[in-house]
C-alpha cells in the first residue's frame, strides 16, 4: 500500500511543484501594509489585516495562505490543527482519536512550543509553556477570517519566538448587511456541534456588531475521552473614512476528560485500542474486570477544566495615502485545573497532610490549579511608496500565573485534615520587542527585504513545585530568575521574472528562551544541577514558485542549523509536557514540493511533499537513567522528525455540489534520539472525503448540506506517542505509549445562512 501511495503522489507531483495556497494569495494581502477596514464588494467588511506579522508574495519567506472559504469548509467541528495539516510539512496529532480535544501540531518536526501563533497580532501561545492549547479557545476555527502559515524563522512576530514556523490568524469581520447563520453537526461517537451567528450589518453608516455562540461535544473514540466545549465571540466595530476601531472578546469554557497517558501495544492487544488507564483504580468489587482478571472501577471526573477569555481593542488609522498606524491592546484571563484520582499514593509526598511515615499510602482525589493574567499592547506604523514599503513597531506584554495544588478527598481522612496547598509557586514574565522591516524594489521585479528585531524577556518563577524530592525530604524548590536579550536579523531577496515566475532566498537568525518545563522538570532526566540554555537557529531558505491561472508550482529548500536546540527526550512530565534537553549542534534540512493544477473549471488536483534529514551531530546521551548514558552515539535522527511527508487532493465542483478527497502520508518517527525501533511510531497514511451540496433557497441566502468521511479506508494507525528507556536491576526496559486514531467515522452538517 505504501508503494501504491507514493506512486500516486509522485504522479501528481509530476504535474508541478507548488501548493494551491502558495499560488495567487488573497488579494487583500498583496500589499503588506494595507491595513484599511472598509466595505468590500462582496458585502462583507474586510478582515483586520495584521500587517506586522504577515508575509506577502514579495516577501522571501516560505508561506501558505488559507482563505475564508477554505477555513469555513473545514469548520464542521474539528480543531484548528486538522485545518493546519492541509499545509506543507505540517502534522496534526490528537489524543481522543477524532480531531477534537487534545490536539496539537508539528511543523518540520518542531513541536507546538516552537510554533508562534497569533490572532490579530496577539500571541495565543501560553507565555509559560509556550504551547497553544486549542481547546482553551473552543471553535476558534469558525471565527477565523483568514490564516497564514510561515515555515522556518519567518518574519518578526509577537510573543514566543518562531523556531519552526508561525501561524497568523485574523478574526472574521462583521457582515455589511444584517444576517447570520446557524449550523448543526452530528456524527460518530456522539460528536456534535451547534453554532449560531448574528451580525447587525452597518448601522448609521459607521457601526457594526457581530456575535457567535458555539457548543461542541463528543464522547471521543478513546474510552472516557469525552469533550465538552462552549465558546463565544462578540465584536463591535466603528468605521470611518480613515479610522477603524474594533473591540473583540472571544473564548470559552472547556471540559475534557484526561487521556494523555496513552496506551502500550501490549495493552492494546489485551484490552483493545480504546483503552487507557486515566482514572482507573483497583477495587475488590469493581464492576469492570480486565482481561487479566483484575477488578477495576473508574473515577468519572478525571478531567481538565479551563476557562479562557481573550479581549482585544484594535485601532487602525490611515494617516495619509502613504502612512498607516495600528495599535492593539489586549488582556487574556485564564483559570483552570486538572482533577485526578490517584491510586495508593504515598502521603509523605503531600506536605500539607503532616504525614511523616513514608509507608503510609491512600487513594485520593487531587486538583492541580492555575490562574493566569496576560496583558499588553502591540503597535506599528507603516509607510508605503511606489518602490519602498517600511514597517516599524513593537509589543510589550506581562504575564503572571500562580500554580498550586489542593486535595479534595483522601481515603481514611476527614476533610478538616486535608486543607491547605501541597505545592504553591508563582511566575511572572515580561516580553517586549522592537522591529523594523523594509521591502525595497531595487529594480523591476527585484525586491530586497530586511527585518531586524530586538526582543527582551524577563522570566521569574519561585516557590515549590509538585515534585517531592526524596533526597531533601521536601517539595522541589523553584528559583528561576532569567533575562534574555535577543537580536534576530533576517535578510532576503526575491525576483519576479518571466510571467508568473518568482525565486527567493533568505537568511535568518532566531533565538528562543526555554519553557517552564525545561526549567522545573530537568531533574527528571539530568544528572547535574545545571539549567537549560536558550536556543539559536540559523535558517537558510531558497524557493521558487510559478503561478498562472490554472497551474501553481513551487519548491523550497531549507537548511536550519541550531545551536543548543532543545530536543525532546521522549519522556513527558505529569501533565504530558515533553521533557527537552539541549544538544550543542543539530540541523534540519529538506525540500518542500508543492503543486496545484486546475484541469477544468470543475476539477483541480494538488499535492505537496516534504523530504528531509533531521540530525543531531555527535549526540552524547546525557539522560541519567538511559542504558547508553555518557556514550557518543554519532549522528542521530531527532525525535519526532519524519524523513518524508506527503499529501494529495482532488477537488470536484459542479454547480452546487462539491467533493474533495485528501490523502496524507507521514513517515516513521522515533520517540527518542537513539533510533530505537521499539520506541518509534510507524508510518501511516489516512484518507478523508468531504462532500457538500448547497441548495437554492428563497427563505434563506443558502442551505448547505455536508458530510465528512474520515479515515475512509478504515486504517488502524496512531498519530502520536512517547517513550523512554531505563535500567533496573541490570536489565534494560523500553516503555512506549501510543494514541490510536478512530477507524472510519463520519460527521454530517447542515448550515443555513440568512
Amino acid at each position: 500500500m505504501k508503494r501504491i501511495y507514493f506512486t500516486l503522489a509522485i504522479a501528481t507531483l509530476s504535474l508541478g511543484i507548488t501548493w494551491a495556497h502558495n499560488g495567487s494569495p488573497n488579494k487583500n494581502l498583496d500589499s503588506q501594509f494595507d491595513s484599511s477596514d472598509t466595505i468590500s464588494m462582496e458585502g462583507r467588511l474586510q478582515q483586520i489585516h495584521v500587517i506586522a506579522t504577515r508575509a506577502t508574495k514579495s516577501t522571501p519567506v516560505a508561506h501558505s495562505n488559507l482563505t475564508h472559504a477554505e477555513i469555513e469548509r473545514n469548520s464542521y467541528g474539528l480543531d484548528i490543527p486538522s485545518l493546519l495539516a492541509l499545509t506543507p510539512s505540517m502534522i496534526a496529532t490528537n489524543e481522543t482519536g477524532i480531531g477534537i480535544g487534545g490536539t496539537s501540531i508539528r511543523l518540520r518536526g518542531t513541536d507546538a512550543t516552537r510554533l508562534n501563533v497569533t490572532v490579530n497580532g496577539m500571541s495565543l501561545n501560553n507565555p509559560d509553556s509556550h504551547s497553544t492549547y486549542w481547546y482553551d479557545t473552543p471553535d476558534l476555527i469558525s471565527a477565523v477570517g483568514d490564516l497564514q502559515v510561515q515555515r522556518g524563522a519567518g518574519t518578526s512576530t509577537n510573543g514566543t519566538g518562531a523556531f519552526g514556523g508561525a501561524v497568523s490568524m485574523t478574526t472574521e469581520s462583521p457582515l455589511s448587511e444584517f444576517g447570520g447563520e446557524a449550523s448543526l453537526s452530528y456524527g460518530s461517537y456522539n460528536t456534535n456541534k451547534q453554532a449560531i451567528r448574528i451580525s447587525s450589518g452597518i448601522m448609521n453608516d459607521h457601526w457594526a456588531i457581530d456575535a457567535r455562540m458555539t457548543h461542541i461535544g463528543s464522547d471521543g473514540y478513546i474510552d472516557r475521552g469525552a469533550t465538552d466545549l462552549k465558546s463565544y465571540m462578540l465584536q463591535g466595530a466603528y468605521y470611518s473614512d480613515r479610522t477603524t476601531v474594533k473591540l473583540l472578546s472571544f473564548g470559552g469554557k472547556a471540559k475534557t476528560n484526561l487521556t494523555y497517558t496513552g496506551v502500550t501495544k501490549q495493552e492494546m492487544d489485551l484490552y483493545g485500542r480504546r483503552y487507557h488507564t486515566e482514572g482507573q483504580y483497583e477495587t475488590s468489587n469493581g464492576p469492570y474486570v480486565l482481561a487479566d482478571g483484575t477488578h477495576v472501577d473508574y473515577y468519572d471526573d478525571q478531567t481538565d477544566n479551563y476557562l479562557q477569555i481573550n479581549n482585544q481593542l484594535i485601532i487602525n488609522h490611515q494617516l495619509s495615502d502613504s502612512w498607516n498606524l495600528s495599535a492593539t491592546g489586549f488582556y487574556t484571563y485564564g483559570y483552570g485545573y486538572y482533577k485526578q484520582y490517584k491510586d495508593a499514593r504515598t502521603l509523605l509526598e503531600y506536605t500539607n497532610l503532616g504525614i511523616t511515615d513514608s509507608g503510609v499510602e491512600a487513594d485520593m482525589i487531587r486538583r492541580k490549579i492555575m490562574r493566569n493574567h496576560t496583558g499588553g499592547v502591540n503597535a506599528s506604523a507603516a509607510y508605503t511608496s511606489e518602490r519602498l514599503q517600511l514597517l516599524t513597531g513593537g509589543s510589550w506584554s506581562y504575564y503572571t500565573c500562580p500554580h498550586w495544588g489542593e486535595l479534595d478527598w483522601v481515603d481514611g481522612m476527614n476533610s478538616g485534615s486535608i486543607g491547605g496547598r501541597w505545592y504553591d509557586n508563582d511566575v511572572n514574565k515580561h516580553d517586549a520587542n522592537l522591529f523594523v522591516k523594509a521591502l525595497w524594489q531595487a529594480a523591476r521585479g527585484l525586491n530586497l527585504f530586511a527585518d531586524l528585531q530586538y526582543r527582551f524577556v524577563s522570566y521569574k518563577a519561585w516557590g515549590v513545585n509538585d515534585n517531592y524530592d526524596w533526597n531533601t525530604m521536601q517539595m522541589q524548590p523553584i528559583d528561576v530568575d532569567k533575562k534574555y536579550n535577543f537580536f534576530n536579523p533576517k535578510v532576503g531577496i526575491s525576483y519576479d521574472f518571466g510571467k508568473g515566475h518568482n525565486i527567493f532566498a533568505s537568511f535568518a537568525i532566531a533565538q528562543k528562551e526555554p519553557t517552564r518545563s525545561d526549567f522545573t522538570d530537568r531533574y527528571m532526566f539530568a544528572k547535574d544541577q545545571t539549567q537549560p540554555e536558550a536556543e539559536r537557529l540559523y535558517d537558510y531558505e531558497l524557493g521558487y514558485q510559478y503561478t498562472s491561472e490554472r497551474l501553481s508550482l513551487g519548491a523550497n529548500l531549507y537548511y536550519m542549523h541550531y545551536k543548543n536546540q532543545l530536543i525532546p527526550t521522549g519522556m513527558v512530565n505529569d501533565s504530558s509536557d515533553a521533557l527537552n534537553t539541549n544538544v550543542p549542534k543539530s540541523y534540519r534540512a529538506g525540500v518542500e514540493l508543492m503543486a496545484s493544477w486546475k484541469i477544468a473549471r470543475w476539477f483541480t488536483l494538488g499535492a505537496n511533499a516534504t523530504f528531509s534529514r533531521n540530525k543531531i551531530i555527535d549526540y552524547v546521551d546525557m539522560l541519567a537513567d538511559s542504558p547508553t548514558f555518557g556514550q557518543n552515539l554519532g549522528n542521530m535522527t531527532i525525535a519526532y522528525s519524519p524523513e518524508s511527508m506527503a499529501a494529495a487532493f482532488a477537488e470536484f465542483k459542479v454547480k452546487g455540489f462539491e467533493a474533495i478527497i485528501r490523502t496524507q502520508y507521514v513517515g516513521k518517527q522515533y520517540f527518542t534520539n537513539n533510533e530505537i525501533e521499539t520506541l518509534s511510531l510507524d508510518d501511516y497514511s489516512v484518507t478523508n472525503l468531504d462532500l457538500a451540496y448547497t441548495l437554492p433557497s428563497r427563505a434563506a441566502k443558502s442551505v448547505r448540506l455536508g458530510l465528512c468521511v474520515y479515515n475512509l479506508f478504515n486504517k488502524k494507525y496512531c498519530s502520536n506517542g512517547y517513550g523512554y528507556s531505563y535500567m533496573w536491576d541490570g536489565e534494560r526496559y523500553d516503555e512506549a505509549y501510543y494514541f490510536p486514531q478512530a477507524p472510519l467515522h463520519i460527521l454530517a452538517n447542515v448550515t443555513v445562512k440568512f
Side-chain angles (χ1 to χ4, degrees):
M1 189 65 193
K2 177 178 175 181
R3 291 182 179 178
I4 295 173
Y5 175 82
F6 267 107
T7 300
L8 292 173
I10 296 301
T12 306
L13 286 169
S14 67
L15 301 174
I17 45 175
T18 197
W19 185 49
H21 305 114
N22 260 4
S24 180
N26 185 320
K27 57 187 177 183
N28 291 331
L29 299 176
D30 282 353
S31 170
Q32 185 173 357
F33 308 114
D34 175 15
S35 60
S36 60
D37 230 319
T38 59
I39 300 176
S40 68
M41 294 298 292
E42 293 79 9
R44 181 182 297 276
L45 301 175
Q46 294 177 4
Q47 283 89 242
I48 302 163
H49 296 310
V50 186
I51 57 178
T53 59
R54 287 289 176 97
T56 72
K57 63 182 180 181
S58 299
T59 309
V61 170
H63 66 279
S64 300
N65 297 319
L66 290 174
T67 65
H68 177 68
E70 293 163 315
I71 297 168
E72 187 176 44
R73 190 166 56 202
N74 291 276
S75 63
Y76 289 170
L78 299 183
D79 291 342
I80 285 181
S82 301
L83 171 70
L84 297 176
L86 303 179
T87 64
S89 301
M90 187 79 77
I91 298 173
T93 67
N94 180 246
E95 291 177 7
T96 65
I98 57 169
I100 297 174
T103 55
S104 192
I105 51 177
R106 293 194 188 96
L107 179 58
R108 290 183 178 177
T110 57
D111 66 17
T113 65
R114 285 151 181 80
L115 303 179
N116 176 270
V117 180
T118 57
V119 178
N120 301 330
M122 180 196 78
S123 177
L124 204 62
N125 299 74
N126 179 281
D128 213 5
S129 69
H130 301 190
S131 287
T132 300
Y133 302 99
W134 298 101
Y135 57 83
D136 288 346
T137 51
D139 198 36
L140 180 61
I141 189 173
S142 295
V144 172
D146 61 27
L147 181 153
Q148 182 178 91
V149 177
Q150 298 178 16
R151 301 184 294 278
T155 62
S156 292
T157 187
N158 302 317
T160 58
F163 228 63
V167 178
S168 171
M169 297 176 284
T170 63
T171 51
E172 188 182 2
S173 61
L175 302 174
S176 61
E177 298 179 352
F178 174 81
E181 66 181 55
S183 179
L184 297 174
S185 299
Y186 189 80
S188 305
Y189 309 109
N190 197 31
T191 301
N192 61 93
K193 176 181 177 180
Q194 308 85 42
I196 187 167
R197 178 195 179 186
I198 297 177
S199 189
S200 69
I202 286 290
M203 301 180 296
N204 297 326
D205 297 326
H206 293 290
W207 299 90
I209 299 175
D210 188 82
R212 179 190 298 275
M213 295 186 68
T214 305
H215 169 262
I216 299 174
S218 178
D219 292 340
Y221 170 65
I222 301 301
D223 286 341
R224 309 181 314 284
T227 300
D228 185 22
L229 310 175
K230 301 177 180 69
S231 71
Y232 77 96
M233 186 182 78
L234 178 65
Q235 60 176 324
Y238 170 81
Y239 302 91
S240 68
D241 292 340
R242 290 184 175 271
T243 303
T244 302
V245 180
K246 286 194 174 185
L247 180 63
L248 296 93
S249 183
F250 64 93
K253 188 175 183 180
K255 184 172 185 177
T256 60
N257 281 61
L258 298 178
T259 56
Y260 58 60
T261 49
V263 60
T264 67
K265 289 184 177 180
Q266 294 80 6
E267 288 171 335
M268 281 191 276
D269 291 339
L270 280 173
Y271 313 127
R273 300 177 74 245
R274 305 176 70 177
Y275 175 81
H276 68 102
T277 59
E278 278 292 330
Q280 175 181 294
Y281 58 95
E282 294 186 23
T283 176
S284 58
N285 58 350
Y288 304 97
V289 182
L290 301 181
D292 61 3
T294 304
H295 285 254
V296 299
D297 202 351
Y298 296 96
Y299 178 56
D300 60 5
D301 198 15
Q302 189 89 353
T303 55
D304 179 4
N305 304 266
Y306 202 79
L307 169 71
Q308 183 165 301
I309 300 173
N310 305 276
N311 304 289
Q312 300 179 354
L313 175 63
I314 304 169
I315 302 173
N316 290 312
H317 178 65
Q318 186 177 351
L319 193 63
S320 67
D321 291 342
S322 299
W323 283 95
N324 284 279
L325 305 177
S326 178
T328 300
F330 57 88
Y331 168 68
T332 297
Y333 171 78
Y335 171 77
Y337 60 89
Y338 289 136
K339 197 170 186 180
Q340 302 168 301
Y341 189 104
K342 291 296 181 179
D343 191 11
R345 300 295 293 189
T346 301
L347 298 189
L348 180 65
E349 298 182 13
Y350 297 82
T351 55
N352 61 309
L353 297 179
I355 303 296
T356 58
D357 186 352
S358 62
V360 179
E361 296 181 346
D363 295 354
M364 64 173 58
I365 297 172
R366 71 183 194 186
R367 283 189 296 156
K368 302 175 74 172
I369 310 167
M370 62 183 296
R371 176 181 284 111
N372 59 67
H373 306 267
T374 308
V377 62
N378 305 328
S380 63
Y383 169 81
T384 182
S385 65
E386 185 177 353
R387 300 182 65 178
L388 177 65
Q389 295 176 336
L390 183 67
L391 177 67
T392 184
S395 70
W396 169 83
S397 67
Y398 174 73
Y399 169 84
T400 181
C401 181
H403 300 253
W404 72 94
E406 297 178 357
L407 302 177
D408 288 356
W409 170 80
V410 178
D411 191 18
M413 301 183 70
N414 60 54
S415 58
S417 303
I418 62 174
R421 300 179 176 184
W422 53 281
Y423 72 92
D424 193 352
N425 60 79
D426 211 338
V427 169
N428 66 45
K429 181 178 183 179
H430 294 267
D431 192 328
N433 81 84
L434 296 171
F435 65 87
V436 59
K437 303 179 186 180
L439 184 64
W440 177 44
Q441 185 179 346
R444 185 176 180 180
L446 179 65
N447 295 282
L448 304 180
F449 176 75
D451 180 349
L452 306 177
Q453 182 200 52
Y454 166 72
R455 181 167 174 250
F456 169 77
V457 176
S458 172
Y459 180 78
K460 294 182 180 181
W462 65 95
V464 293
N465 206 12
D466 59 336
N467 307 304
Y468 188 79
D469 188 336
W470 284 90
N471 294 318
T472 63
M473 303 296 285
Q474 294 178 344
M475 303 303 293
Q476 177 201 2
I478 298 177
D479 184 14
V480 181
D481 187 355
K482 290 286 188 179
K483 290 181 173 60
Y484 301 93
N485 293 275
F486 297 137
F487 176 59
N488 302 316
K490 304 172 178 68
V491 294
I493 183 172
S494 69
Y495 180 59
D496 298 320
F497 62 97
K499 187 177 180 180
H501 297 271
N502 173 269
I503 188 170
F504 72 86
S506 65
F507 169 72
I509 297 176
Q511 299 175 85
K512 181 178 175 299
E513 73 278 15
T515 69
R516 170 190 172 87
S517 177
D518 293 332
F519 285 108
T520 61
D521 296 326
R522 187 176 175 84
Y523 80 97
M524 297 178 68
F525 63 83
K527 210 171 185 65
D528 53 41
Q529 299 297 317
T530 59
Q531 291 188 333
E533 299 288 338
E535 308 169 86
R536 178 176 295 179
L537 164 66
Y538 303 89
D539 183 21
Y540 304 82
E541 305 271 343
L542 176 65
Y544 164 80
Q545 61 182 17
Y546 168 76
T547 305
S548 68
E549 185 177 355
R550 289 182 175 271
L551 183 65
S552 297
L553 312 170
N556 188 62
L557 298 171
Y558 65 88
Y559 177 73
M560 305 168 72
H561 176 72
Y562 298 86
K563 179 181 179 181
N564 289 328
Q565 182 180 186
L566 282 161
I567 58 166
T569 64
M571 303 166 64
V572 298
N573 67 10
D574 192 44
S575 299
S576 198
D577 298 316
L579 303 185
N580 304 305
T581 185
N582 291 111
V583 292
K585 294 182 180 180
S586 57
Y587 70 88
R588 301 180 187 275
V591 56
E592 295 164 330
L593 306 174
M594 299 144 281
S596 177
W597 182 26
K598 191 172 184 179
I599 299 174
R601 293 179 60 185
W602 54 272
F603 183 39
T604 302
L605 286 177
N608 67 74
T610 301
F611 304 97
S612 65
R613 287 179 61 83
N614 310 273
K615 294 291 184 178
I616 306 168
I617 300 173
D618 289 328
Y619 175 54
V620 178
D621 187 352
M622 296 305 295
L623 307 185
D625 295 328
S626 172
T628 55
F629 172 75
Q631 297 180 25
N632 187 327
L633 303 179
N635 295 350
M636 305 299 288
T637 300
I638 302 174
Y640 299 99
S641 301
E643 291 187 350
S644 57
M645 293 178 275
F649 74 87
E651 179 177 2
F652 305 83
K653 288 186 178 181
V654 180
K655 295 183 179 180
F657 175 74
E658 300 175 52
I660 303 176
I661 186 167
R662 301 181 187 274
T663 298
Q664 184 183 37
Y665 170 82
V666 178
K668 178 180 179 179
Q669 302 171 64
Y670 291 105
F671 295 151
T672 69
N673 303 288
N674 305 53
E675 298 184 6
I676 300 171
E677 294 300 319
T678 55
L679 300 177
S680 65
L681 187 69
D682 292 337
D683 64 338
Y684 64 87
S685 62
V686 60
T687 301
N688 300 326
L689 175 64
D690 187 353
L691 305 171
Y693 183 70
T694 302
L695 300 169
S697 173
R698 295 182 179 179
K701 290 182 179 178
S702 66
V703 178
R704 186 177 187 271
L705 306 176
L707 178 68
C708 290
V709 183
Y710 301 107
N711 197 357
L712 180 64
F713 299 118
N714 207 34
K715 294 284 188 178
K716 291 184 178 180
Y717 74 100
C718 299
S719 68
N720 199 13
Y722 62 95
Y724 50 90
S725 301
Y726 63 93
M727 298 294 293
W728 184 260
D729 286 340
E731 293 190 30
R732 176 197 179 105
Y733 293 87
D734 295 326
E735 299 282 352
Y737 298 85
Y738 299 86
F739 296 97
Q741 301 300 288
L744 186 150
H745 57 291
I746 63 172
L747 186 65
N749 168 267
V750 56
T751 299
V752 179
K753 294 187 177 182
F754 54 88

